[in-house]
Amino acid sequence: MTVTLSDEARRLIAAFEDETDASAVDCVVDDEQDRVIFVVAAGEMGSAIGPGGSRVEELEEKLGRDVMLVEDAPTPEGFVANALSPAAVYNVTISENDTTVAYAEVAHEDKGVAIGTGGKNIEAAKQLAKRHFDVDDIQLT
């Protein structure tokens, strides 16, 4: 799918890339949670995070907002698993009937992490999966 970026998102991606030396393929500004979500090019997550999380911390200071990073993936299953990280995701199955639903098998002790406070993590994962792979919903199993 083609993702359309706003001018603000392009500006934020430029700041991200300058600060981390990693590439971002998407950026979502989540004003409700006062954060910016970057989709990091596959294989560049370590560079984006930096030693001990230093690059993310510096970026958060520069932007004045929390930053969430999701690693890109070539398949919807891999993307959903990455979007739910750091929760342990054992398996993702995509069901295509009237709607496209990703069923993510998450470790019982990590369901809270996958959902996040007030549902913020699962909502971000749903929004990104819709933007990148036209997945209508994510259900945790």
Side-chain angles (χ1 to χ4, degrees), residues 61-85:
E61 284 181 30
K62 184 175 185 177
L63 300 179
R65 292 178 168 213
D66 287 339
V67 170
M68 178 179 176
L69 302 178
V70 174
E71 188 169 13
D72 198 12
T75 65
E77 293 88 353
F79 190 86
V80 168
N82 289 348
L84 294 173
S85 180

Side-chain angles (χ1 to χ4, degrees), residues 118-136:
K120 71 180 183 179
N121 294 347
I122 189 79
E123 288 307 315
K126 287 178 182 181
Q127 181 181 12
L128 291 170
K130 180 70 175 170
R131 282 173 65 96
H132 289 264
F133 290 98
D134 206 24
V135 172
D136 297 306

Side-chain angles (χ1 to χ4, degrees), residues 25-49:
V25 297
D26 191 12
C27 172
V28 174
V29 178
D30 183 356
D31 289 324
E32 190 173 306
Q33 298 294 333
D34 194 31
R35 67 181 174 179
V36 180
I37 306 165
F38 293 99
V39 178
V40 180
E44 296 187 22
M45 189 61 96
S47 179
I49 295 169

Side-chain angles (χ1 to χ4, degrees), residues 104-126:
E105 183 182 344
V106 176
H108 178 72
E109 61 273 10
D110 281 355
K111 283 196 177 177
V113 173
I115 294 168
T117 305
K120 71 180 183 179
N121 294 347
I122 189 79
E123 288 307 315
K126 287 178 182 181

